[in-house]
Amino acid sequence: MRVTIIYPCVGRIPGEEYIRSWQMEPLPSAYLSALVPEDMDVRFYDDRMESIPYNEQTDLVLISVETYTAKRAYQIASEYHRRGVRVFMGGYHATLLTDEVLQYADAVVVGEGEESVPVLMADFKANRLKRIYSSSGANGLKTVSPDRRIFSGKRYLDIGLIEVTRGCRSHCEFCSITAFHRGKHSHRRIEMLMKEIDTLKSSKKLFFFVDDNFTADVTFAKEFCRALIPLHIKWVGQASITLALDGEMMSLMRASGCQGVLIGFESLNPQNLKAMNKRFNYTNIKYEEAIQRLNAYTLRLYATFVFGYDYDVIDDFKRTLDFCVQHKIFMAAFNHLTPFPGTPVYEKLEKEGRLLYKKWWLDDRYRYGEVPFKTVIAPDVIKKECVKARKSFYGVPSIAKRMFNRSNCGNLLMFNAYWFINFLLRKEAEQRIDYPLGDLSFKGDLITVRDKERENVLVA
Ligand code: SF4
C-alpha cells in the first residue's frame, strides 16, 4: 500500500522560481511520515520545489494545511479527487476551520496528529473511515521523532529544524498557535532531543528550534540548554521578551550555542500591545533595556513588528524603523496584522464587519502582503508602508549603521553572515508582495468531496 505525503506551496506564478527563504525542511511532513505504518510505502513531494506526479499510483494522500497554503492544498486535493484517490488533511488550518477543510478532504485530523494519524491509517486499511479524527489531548510530542529520510535528495536550506517544545501559554489575540494548542505548552524528552540533534550534527551548520516560545517553560529550557552545551552546536530560536529578564537563561542559551533569537516586539505603542493581549511586552521591561541585555549576552535579535492595530498612526512606521536602526537590531520584520481564522482577532474583525473578504485565503483577488480588513490607516497604505520600512531597513545605509554592534559583527565569520543575511532579506523585501495564493496555472473549480462522491469529476 502506498501513501503520498504532499507539502503544498503558498502559491505559484507559472514560469517563476519559488521564494528561496520559504524552502526549509517541512517538519510537519516528516512527522506525518513517522506516523505511517512501516508496512506502507511512503512517497513525499514538496510542491515548493518539484511538480507532483498526480498520475503515479497511490492509495491515499496526506496533506498538512496552513491558512496560507489552504487554497493550494485544495487545488492539489482536487487533482487527486479527479483520479479517485482519497485525500486526508490535518494541521493548523484543518483544526481551526474543520468545516471548510472537510469539504475538500475525505477525512480531517483535528489537533495533534500523533495519536490520530495511526488510527486513521488503521481505519483506511480496514475500510471503516470516519470523517473526523480528533486527538484526545494526549501529548504526542513525547513519543514521535520526525522521519527525515523523506528529505533525502531535495535541495533545502542547510538548517536543521527541531521541535523542542510545542505551544505557548500566552494568549496573544492574533496568534493561531495559542488558538490551536488552547494555551497549552509541552516539551519533548531531553534524551530524545539529544539523540536527534546528535544524528543531524555532522550535516547541519545551524539548527532552528522551531518552537514558538522556546522559553515558555523556563525550567525545562534551562535544563535543555545545559544538556546542549557539550554538543557544540549553533542554533537560533524564538522566545518572548520576558527572556531578557532572566540572566541565567540568556547565559545558558549563549553557552549552548544560541546565535540569535526572534522576539515579537509587535508594536512600540502600549495601547496596541494591550489590545493584542500582549501586555507582558511592556509591563516587565522596556524594549531598550531588553535589547541592551540581549546584546550583553551576544544574542542577536530578530525583532518582529505588526501594523494595522487601531492605535497605529502613520508616523509609527518611521518611528519603528528608526528605533530598529538606532538600536542596531540584527534583523527586523515589518508586517501587517494577519487575521487567521480561529483566532480572537479574526472573530472580532468579523463581528465588527471589518473583513474585506469573506475568506481572504481562498479569494482569487487576494494577494500576499494585502491587508484583508478595514482599519484606521487604509489597507493599501499599510501595505505600502510595510514595504517601505523593509526596503529602508535592509538598505545599505541601514545595514552599514547596524553593523556597529558587537553582537551583530563580532568577528569575521559573523561579519560575513550579517551582510549575507541582510542582503538576502533585502532582496526579499518586495519579492513576496502580491504573490498569489494557489497556483495560477490551476484551471477550473476546486473539487469537493461531494463532487467526487457524485463521481462526475473522475477522469478515466
Ligand atoms: S507569545 Fe508568541 S507564540 Fe505565544 S501566544 Fe503570543 S504570539 Fe503566540
PDB file of all heavy atoms in Angstrom, residues 394-416:
ATOM      1  N   TYR A 394      16.616  47.235   5.199  1.00  0.00           N
ATOM      2  CA  TYR A 394      17.603  46.387   4.514  1.00  0.00           C
ATOM      3  C   TYR A 394      18.339  47.156   3.411  1.00  0.00           C
ATOM      4  O   TYR A 394      18.967  46.562   2.544  1.00  0.00           O
ATOM      5  CB  TYR A 394      16.929  45.120   3.967  1.00  0.00           C
ATOM      6  CG  TYR A 394      16.484  44.210   5.100  1.00  0.00           C
ATOM      7  CD1 TYR A 394      15.142  44.033   5.406  1.00  0.00           C
ATOM      8  CD2 TYR A 394      17.435  43.572   5.898  1.00  0.00           C
ATOM      9  CE1 TYR A 394      14.742  43.230   6.473  1.00  0.00           C
ATOM     10  CE2 TYR A 394      17.036  42.769   6.970  1.00  0.00           C
ATOM     11  CZ  TYR A 394      15.693  42.607   7.249  1.00  0.00           C
ATOM     12  OH  TYR A 394      15.318  41.821   8.313  1.00  0.00           O
ATOM     13  N   GLY A 395      18.261  48.483   3.461  1.00  0.00           N
ATOM     14  CA  GLY A 395      19.054  49.305   2.544  1.00  0.00           C
ATOM     15  C   GLY A 395      20.487  49.386   3.054  1.00  0.00           C
ATOM     16  O   GLY A 395      20.735  49.212   4.262  1.00  0.00           O
ATOM     17  N   VAL A 396      21.418  49.699   2.152  1.00  0.00           N
ATOM     18  CA  VAL A 396      22.841  49.684   2.537  1.00  0.00           C
ATOM     19  C   VAL A 396      23.155  50.654   3.697  1.00  0.00           C
ATOM     20  O   VAL A 396      23.861  50.272   4.642  1.00  0.00           O
ATOM     21  CB  VAL A 396      23.740  49.941   1.300  1.00  0.00           C
ATOM     22  CG1 VAL A 396      25.209  50.080   1.700  1.00  0.00           C
ATOM     23  CG2 VAL A 396      23.580  48.791   0.302  1.00  0.00           C
ATOM     24  N   PRO A 397      22.619  51.903   3.690  1.00  0.00           N
ATOM     25  CA  PRO A 397      22.969  52.797   4.819  1.00  0.00           C
ATOM     26  C   PRO A 397      22.577  52.208   6.173  1.00  0.00           C
ATOM     27  O   PRO A 397      23.336  52.286   7.140  1.00  0.00           O
ATOM     28  CB  PRO A 397      22.177  54.073   4.523  1.00  0.00           C
ATOM     29  CG  PRO A 397      21.888  54.017   3.057  1.00  0.00           C
ATOM     30  CD  PRO A 397      21.768  52.578   2.703  1.00  0.00           C
ATOM     31  N   SER A 398      21.386  51.575   6.218  1.00  0.00           N
ATOM     32  CA  SER A 398      20.930  50.986   7.485  1.00  0.00           C
ATOM     33  C   SER A 398      21.791  49.774   7.862  1.00  0.00           C
ATOM     34  O   SER A 398      22.187  49.611   9.021  1.00  0.00           O
ATOM     35  CB  SER A 398      19.454  50.588   7.366  1.00  0.00           C
ATOM     36  OG  SER A 398      19.135  49.573   8.283  1.00  0.00           O
ATOM     37  N   ILE A 399      22.111  48.935   6.866  1.00  0.00           N
ATOM     38  CA  ILE A 399      22.920  47.735   7.165  1.00  0.00           C
ATOM     39  C   ILE A 399      24.279  48.188   7.704  1.00  0.00           C
ATOM     40  O   ILE A 399      24.788  47.655   8.697  1.00  0.00           O
ATOM     41  CB  ILE A 399      23.096  46.834   5.912  1.00  0.00           C
ATOM     42  CG1 ILE A 399      21.744  46.361   5.376  1.00  0.00           C
ATOM     43  CG2 ILE A 399      23.965  45.620   6.238  1.00  0.00           C
ATOM     44  CD1 ILE A 399      21.810  45.519   4.099  1.00  0.00           C
ATOM     45  N   ALA A 400      24.842  49.208   7.046  1.00  0.00           N
ATOM     46  CA  ALA A 400      26.166  49.695   7.461  1.00  0.00           C
ATOM     47  C   ALA A 400      26.114  50.249   8.892  1.00  0.00           C
ATOM     48  O   ALA A 400      27.013  50.015   9.695  1.00  0.00           O
ATOM     49  CB  ALA A 400      26.657  50.753   6.485  1.00  0.00           C
ATOM     50  N   LYS A 401      25.063  50.946   9.200  1.00  0.00           N
ATOM     51  CA  LYS A 401      24.928  51.542  10.539  1.00  0.00           C
ATOM     52  C   LYS A 401      24.769  50.443  11.610  1.00  0.00           C
ATOM     53  O   LYS A 401      25.393  50.479  12.659  1.00  0.00           O
ATOM     54  CB  LYS A 401      23.684  52.430  10.532  1.00  0.00           C
ATOM     55  CG  LYS A 401      23.819  53.668  11.365  1.00  0.00           C
ATOM     56  CD  LYS A 401      22.577  54.488  11.132  1.00  0.00           C
ATOM     57  CE  LYS A 401      22.756  55.923  11.465  1.00  0.00           C
ATOM     58  NZ  LYS A 401      21.602  56.699  11.048  1.00  0.00           N
ATOM     59  N   ARG A 402      23.938  49.458  11.303  1.00  0.00           N
ATOM     60  CA  ARG A 402      23.642  48.402  12.285  1.00  0.00           C
ATOM     61  C   ARG A 402      24.803  47.437  12.490  1.00  0.00           C
ATOM     62  O   ARG A 402      24.838  46.670  13.446  1.00  0.00           O
ATOM     63  CB  ARG A 402      22.371  47.638  11.856  1.00  0.00           C
ATOM     64  CG  ARG A 402      21.118  48.467  11.977  1.00  0.00           C
ATOM     65  CD  ARG A 402      19.883  47.701  11.598  1.00  0.00           C
ATOM     66  NE  ARG A 402      19.764  47.450  10.172  1.00  0.00           N
ATOM     67  CZ  ARG A 402      19.863  46.256   9.612  1.00  0.00           C
ATOM     68  NH1 ARG A 402      20.066  45.176  10.361  1.00  0.00           N
ATOM     69  NH2 ARG A 402      19.744  46.130   8.310  1.00  0.00           N
ATOM     70  N   MET A 403      25.740  47.515  11.575  1.00  0.00           N
ATOM     71  CA  MET A 403      26.912  46.641  11.658  1.00  0.00           C
ATOM     72  C   MET A 403      27.729  46.916  12.935  1.00  0.00           C
ATOM     73  O   MET A 403      28.358  46.035  13.493  1.00  0.00           O
ATOM     74  CB  MET A 403      27.762  46.926  10.412  1.00  0.00           C
ATOM     75  CG  MET A 403      28.952  46.095  10.230  1.00  0.00           C
ATOM     76  SD  MET A 403      29.737  46.573   8.678  1.00  0.00           S
ATOM     77  CE  MET A 403      30.721  47.939   9.224  1.00  0.00           C
ATOM     78  N   PHE A 404      27.656  48.196  13.389  1.00  0.00           N
ATOM     79  CA  PHE A 404      28.488  48.569  14.541  1.00  0.00           C
ATOM     80  C   PHE A 404      27.813  48.185  15.864  1.00  0.00           C
ATOM     81  O   PHE A 404      27.457  49.015  16.678  1.00  0.00           O
ATOM     82  CB  PHE A 404      28.834  50.066  14.476  1.00  0.00           C
ATOM     83  CG  PHE A 404      29.699  50.376  13.293  1.00  0.00           C
ATOM     84  CD1 PHE A 404      29.162  50.924  12.133  1.00  0.00           C
ATOM     85  CD2 PHE A 404      31.050  50.054  13.319  1.00  0.00           C
ATOM     86  CE1 PHE A 404      29.957  51.169  11.023  1.00  0.00           C
ATOM     87  CE2 PHE A 404      31.855  50.293  12.209  1.00  0.00           C
ATOM     88  CZ  PHE A 404      31.309  50.848  11.053  1.00  0.00           C
ATOM     89  N   ASN A 405      27.592  46.923  15.963  1.00  0.00           N
ATOM     90  CA  ASN A 405      27.051  46.346  17.191  1.00  0.00           C
ATOM     91  C   ASN A 405      27.854  45.056  17.372  1.00  0.00           C
ATOM     92  O   ASN A 405      27.864  44.203  16.494  1.00  0.00           O
ATOM     93  CB  ASN A 405      25.554  46.044  16.977  1.00  0.00           C
ATOM     94  CG  ASN A 405      24.943  45.293  18.144  1.00  0.00           C
ATOM     95  OD1 ASN A 405      25.647  44.764  19.007  1.00  0.00           O
ATOM     96  ND2 ASN A 405      23.621  45.217  18.167  1.00  0.00           N
ATOM     97  N   ARG A 406      28.533  44.956  18.490  1.00  0.00           N
ATOM     98  CA  ARG A 406      29.445  43.822  18.716  1.00  0.00           C
ATOM     99  C   ARG A 406      28.718  42.474  18.547  1.00  0.00           C
ATOM    100  O   ARG A 406      29.271  41.499  18.090  1.00  0.00           O
ATOM    101  CB  ARG A 406      30.064  43.936  20.117  1.00  0.00           C
ATOM    102  CG  ARG A 406      31.438  43.292  20.257  1.00  0.00           C
ATOM    103  CD  ARG A 406      32.037  43.622  21.615  1.00  0.00           C
ATOM    104  NE  ARG A 406      31.122  43.290  22.713  1.00  0.00           N
ATOM    105  CZ  ARG A 406      30.986  42.090  23.255  1.00  0.00           C
ATOM    106  NH1 ARG A 406      31.706  41.093  22.813  1.00  0.00           N
ATOM    107  NH2 ARG A 406      30.139  41.874  24.245  1.00  0.00           N
ATOM    108  N   SER A 407      27.439  42.470  18.896  1.00  0.00           N
ATOM    109  CA  SER A 407      26.644  41.242  18.748  1.00  0.00           C
ATOM    110  C   SER A 407      26.490  40.852  17.286  1.00  0.00           C
ATOM    111  O   SER A 407      26.512  39.688  16.927  1.00  0.00           O
ATOM    112  CB  SER A 407      25.242  41.467  19.275  1.00  0.00           C
ATOM    113  OG  SER A 407      25.176  41.242  20.606  1.00  0.00           O
ATOM    114  N   ASN A 408      26.291  41.870  16.435  1.00  0.00           N
ATOM    115  CA  ASN A 408      25.996  41.588  15.023  1.00  0.00           C
ATOM    116  C   ASN A 408      27.236  41.165  14.245  1.00  0.00           C
ATOM    117  O   ASN A 408      27.153  40.288  13.392  1.00  0.00           O
ATOM    118  CB  ASN A 408      25.400  42.832  14.339  1.00  0.00           C
ATOM    119  CG  ASN A 408      24.035  43.184  14.891  1.00  0.00           C
ATOM    120  OD1 ASN A 408      23.480  42.436  15.686  1.00  0.00           O
ATOM    121  ND2 ASN A 408      23.500  44.318  14.486  1.00  0.00           N
ATOM    122  N   CYS A 409      28.355  41.835  14.507  1.00  0.00           N
ATOM    123  CA  CYS A 409      29.560  41.610  13.689  1.00  0.00           C
ATOM    124  C   CYS A 409      30.800  41.492  14.566  1.00  0.00           C
ATOM    125  O   CYS A 409      31.773  42.222  14.380  1.00  0.00           O
ATOM    126  CB  CYS A 409      29.749  42.776  12.724  1.00  0.00           C
ATOM    127  SG  CYS A 409      28.595  42.812  11.388  1.00  0.00           S
ATOM    128  N   GLY A 410      30.782  40.609  15.521  1.00  0.00           N
ATOM    129  CA  GLY A 410      31.892  40.496  16.476  1.00  0.00           C
ATOM    130  C   GLY A 410      33.150  39.877  15.892  1.00  0.00           C
ATOM    131  O   GLY A 410      34.246  40.079  16.418  1.00  0.00           O
ATOM    132  N   ASN A 411      33.041  39.115  14.829  1.00  0.00           N
ATOM    133  CA  ASN A 411      34.224  38.513  14.203  1.00  0.00           C
ATOM    134  C   ASN A 411      33.979  38.396  12.701  1.00  0.00           C
ATOM    135  O   ASN A 411      32.888  38.706  12.214  1.00  0.00           O
ATOM    136  CB  ASN A 411      34.536  37.145  14.833  1.00  0.00           C
ATOM    137  CG  ASN A 411      33.339  36.203  14.749  1.00  0.00           C
ATOM    138  OD1 ASN A 411      32.654  36.142  13.725  1.00  0.00           O
ATOM    139  ND2 ASN A 411      33.069  35.472  15.821  1.00  0.00           N
ATOM    140  N   LEU A 412      35.000  37.931  11.983  1.00  0.00           N
ATOM    141  CA  LEU A 412      34.909  37.909  10.523  1.00  0.00           C
ATOM    142  C   LEU A 412      33.763  37.009  10.030  1.00  0.00           C
ATOM    143  O   LEU A 412      33.035  37.350   9.099  1.00  0.00           O
ATOM    144  CB  LEU A 412      36.252  37.425   9.937  1.00  0.00           C
ATOM    145  CG  LEU A 412      36.346  37.521   8.416  1.00  0.00           C
ATOM    146  CD1 LEU A 412      36.228  38.963   7.934  1.00  0.00           C
ATOM    147  CD2 LEU A 412      37.659  36.913   7.925  1.00  0.00           C
ATOM    148  N   LEU A 413      33.600  35.886  10.730  1.00  0.00           N
ATOM    149  CA  LEU A 413      32.545  34.945  10.359  1.00  0.00           C
ATOM    150  C   LEU A 413      31.170  35.614  10.472  1.00  0.00           C
ATOM    151  O   LEU A 413      30.317  35.531   9.594  1.00  0.00           O
ATOM    152  CB  LEU A 413      32.630  33.735  11.294  1.00  0.00           C
ATOM    153  CG  LEU A 413      32.021  32.449  10.779  1.00  0.00           C
ATOM    154  CD1 LEU A 413      32.853  31.914   9.621  1.00  0.00           C
ATOM    155  CD2 LEU A 413      31.966  31.414  11.903  1.00  0.00           C
ATOM    156  N   MET A 414      30.982  36.302  11.597  1.00  0.00           N
ATOM    157  CA  MET A 414      29.703  36.977  11.829  1.00  0.00           C
ATOM    158  C   MET A 414      29.519  38.155  10.885  1.00  0.00           C
ATOM    159  O   MET A 414      28.410  38.449  10.426  1.00  0.00           O
ATOM    160  CB  MET A 414      29.589  37.448  13.287  1.00  0.00           C
ATOM    161  CG  MET A 414      28.988  36.447  14.210  1.00  0.00           C
ATOM    162  SD  MET A 414      27.633  35.469  13.498  1.00  0.00           S
ATOM    163  CE  MET A 414      26.394  36.723  13.148  1.00  0.00           C
ATOM    164  N   PHE A 415      30.610  38.826  10.587  1.00  0.00           N
ATOM    165  CA  PHE A 415      30.563  39.949   9.653  1.00  0.00           C
ATOM    166  C   PHE A 415      30.002  39.456   8.306  1.00  0.00           C
ATOM    167  O   PHE A 415      29.081  40.042   7.741  1.00  0.00           O
ATOM    168  CB  PHE A 415      31.982  40.514   9.484  1.00  0.00           C
ATOM    169  CG  PHE A 415      32.096  41.616   8.475  1.00  0.00           C
ATOM    170  CD1 PHE A 415      31.868  42.940   8.837  1.00  0.00           C
ATOM    171  CD2 PHE A 415      32.428  41.335   7.151  1.00  0.00           C
ATOM    172  CE1 PHE A 415      31.965  43.955   7.892  1.00  0.00           C
ATOM    173  CE2 PHE A 415      32.517  42.341   6.199  1.00  0.00           C
ATOM    174  CZ  PHE A 415      32.289  43.658   6.571  1.00  0.00           C
ATOM    175  N   ASN A 416      30.559  38.350   7.846  1.00  0.00           N
ATOM    176  CA  ASN A 416      30.098  37.784   6.570  1.00  0.00           C
ATOM    177  C   ASN A 416      28.643  37.341   6.652  1.00  0.00           C
ATOM    178  O   ASN A 416      27.842  37.607   5.754  1.00  0.00           O
ATOM    179  CB  ASN A 416      30.964  36.575   6.165  1.00  0.00           C
ATOM    180  CG  ASN A 416      32.353  37.015   5.762  1.00  0.00           C
ATOM    181  OD1 ASN A 416      32.561  38.172   5.389  1.00  0.00           O
ATOM    182  ND2 ASN A 416      33.322  36.116   5.860  1.00  0.00           N
TER     183      ASN A 416
END
